[in-house]
Amino acid sequence: MRQSHHRSVVLGTGSELPARVVTNAALEELVDTSDEWITTRTGIKERRVLEEGKGNADMAHRAAVRALHDAGVDPKDLDAIIMGTVTADYPFPSSACVLEDMLGARKAFSFDVNAACSGFLNALAVADSMIRTGMIRHALVVGSDALSRLLNWKDRTTCILFGDGAGAAVLGSVNDGHRGVLSAKLRTDGSYVKTLYVPAGGSLKPASAETVKKNEHTITMNGKEVFKVAVRSMEEISREALDEADIDVEQVSLVIPHQANLRIITALAERLKIPMSKVMVNLDRYGNTSAASVPIALDEARREGRIRHGDIVLLNAFGAGFAWGAAVVKF
Ligand code: UT7
């Protein structure tokens, strides 16, 4: 249990989903798959795809404006903008810099965090630490990804899983030891880098006519391996985060897990002995939105009235790296 009385509280949340809906039926036209297979193996019914000509920061901007409005915080009062993403607008600089300009958040320093599906948890942990040390007072924490840009629409093992979206939370410093981010735990295992990755486009194998021809700019994944390690790791790190916060599993009002596969979520809930009625699920509508999945679900849960004052919420995520994390937040 931490000793400091300065904590970061969630002052507001917001999210953005692109308007274009791609149903399982639409994917049946592209690859050899079926609505039945996708629904029973993943729980996904449809996902959103960002329109051409727009970038990640456009989605993040809409989510951020909603979160700031919800929090009653002016962009000019932000000290930091930290964005979890693997689909920044440009190879550099960061999408957070693009977002900073869109918001006119002139006082803030801004950077991206690359932790794939765990990006929001990592960004949250970084912002929380900076707030607790007194380095900053207000942070905008974002998870935003457009994985549709990295999909091979001929590969049925990956193109059916992912969707685009953005979620944001405004964190503020309070002198109250009893609420806010009670704990945050992060982990990685780099021996799994090639289990889920984009082979080309980085410094090792820059873009060339050949890499494009070989489809090496799209997601390559061993789904079975990801599945196995995801359930085990998210259970483990959730328990560690609960232990550090001194919270029993029975005290948790709501779990907001990364939305990758309904079977991963139900297996995790079973292992944690948490009933599904206390678990947020929206992947049927959005698929796996990578770093955006947790903050979108958090925002929806708040808007649906599923999080009340005093509630204890467990967030967890797992993805490429492998990188994973969990946080316990008291509202
Ligand atoms: O955020 C982290 C990102 N990634 C994940 O979380 C992914 C985690 N993994 C998963 O969600 C699952 O492993 C998948 C949904 C990707 C796959 O489900 P699975 O139950 O592990 O299926 P499988 O890979 O064992 O494939 C079973 C069969 C195979 O056919 P055979 O070999 O049994 O004849 C596949 O070729 O299903 C076939 N298949 C498909 N059939 C119809 C694979 N994809 C499809 C598809 N439509 N889209």
Side-chain angles (χ1 to χ4, degrees):
M1 193 67 170
R2 288 163 178 158
Q3 298 305 311
S4 162
H5 289 291
H6 279 277
R7 287 200 188 276
S8 29
V9 293
V10 176
L11 299 174
T13 56
S15 57
E16 162 69 9
L17 280 312
R20 187 176 156 213
V21 176
V22 176
T23 61
N24 289 349
L27 291 177
E28 288 175 359
E29 307 293 316
L30 289 182
V31 287
D32 179 16
T33 191
S34 64
D35 173 43
E36 203 264 332
W37 192 96
I38 301 171
T39 306
T40 53
R41 298 287 179 128
T42 72
I44 299 164
K45 299 296 285 181
E46 57 187 45
R47 71 286 294 143
R48 303 297 181 93
V49 172
L50 182 61
E51 67 184 278
E52 271 178 44
K54 297 280 184 198
N56 164 310
D58 292 302
M59 292 190 295
H61 180 226
R62 285 169 172 251
V65 166
R66 288 176 187 134
L68 287 160
H69 182 259
D70 185 37
V73 170
D74 193 298
K76 292 185 181 62
D77 292 326
L78 287 174
D79 303 305
I81 298 174
I82 307 177
M83 189 193 303
T85 188
V86 290
T87 49
D89 291 37
Y90 311 105
F92 76 87
S94 67
S95 259
C97 283
V98 180
L99 175 59
E100 178 195 297
D101 184 48
M102 287 173 165
L103 289 170
R106 292 283 167 257
K107 200 174 81 175
F109 61 84
S110 311
F111 59 94
D112 289 354
V113 167
N114 180 335
C117 297
S118 187
F120 180 78
L121 265 299
N122 287 55
L124 180 82
V126 172
D128 173 51
S129 326
M130 289 179 171
I131 286 174
R132 282 187 296 103
T133 61
M135 181 180 175
I136 60 172
R137 287 191 60 76
H138 288 110
L140 176 68
V141 182
V142 185
S144 181
D145 265 316
L147 285 195
S148 67
R149 305 296 202 246
L150 298 178
L151 290 177
N152 174 356
W153 293 98
K154 291 185 178 128
D155 176 8
R156 69 175 182 175
T157 69
T158 52
C159 77
I160 54 118
L161 295 171
F162 300 99
D164 302 341
V170 178
L171 295 190
S173 173
V174 291
N175 192 358
D176 178 349
H178 301 290
R179 64 193 186 104
V181 179
L182 303 185
S183 67
K185 294 296 230 180
L186 304 174
R187 197 71 43 84
T188 50
D189 184 344
S191 66
Y192 289 99
V193 163
K194 292 188 177 174
T195 308
L196 172 52
Y197 78 133
V198 175
S203 59
L204 184 64
K205 205 186 254 194
S208 67
E210 199 195 336
T211 58
V212 171
K213 204 168 117 204
K214 285 162 81 181
N215 252 323
E216 289 181 315
H217 295 278
T218 57
I219 293 175
T220 301
M221 177 178 76
N222 176 345
K224 266 203 178 330
E225 193 69 21
V226 181
F227 193 113
K228 238 178 24 207
V229 188
V231 175
R232 195 187 333 127
S233 306
M234 278 199 286
E235 181 202 359
E236 220 169 76
I237 203 150
S238 296
R239 290 195 189 284
E240 285 174 25
L242 289 167
D243 276 355
E244 181 167 308
D246 245 344
I247 297 292
D248 293 330
V249 124
E250 299 75 39
Q251 293 173 265
V252 173
S253 327
L254 189 66
V255 184
I256 301 185
H258 173 49
Q259 308 284 311
N261 186 319
L262 185 58
R263 286 154 54 218
I264 294 180
I265 295 175
T266 51
L268 175 66
E270 240 167 67
R271 281 168 174 242
L272 288 172
K273 298 199 170 45
I274 292 180
M276 282 303 285
S277 57
K278 285 187 176 182
V279 180
M280 190 65 196
V281 175
N282 64 8
L283 56 67
D284 49 320
R285 285 170 290 140
Y286 309 136
N288 179 348
T289 56
S290 184
S293 92
V294 169
I296 292 171
L298 171 64
D299 182 49
E300 287 201 343
R302 287 183 77 240
R303 282 189 287 117
E304 286 166 12
R306 292 187 71 175
I307 301 177
R308 288 178 305 267
H309 189 73
D311 278 358
I312 289 165
V313 175
L314 170 67
L315 313 175
N316 51 37
F318 183 94
F322 292 153
W324 63 102
V328 178
V329 183
K330 186 166 181 185
F331 281 83

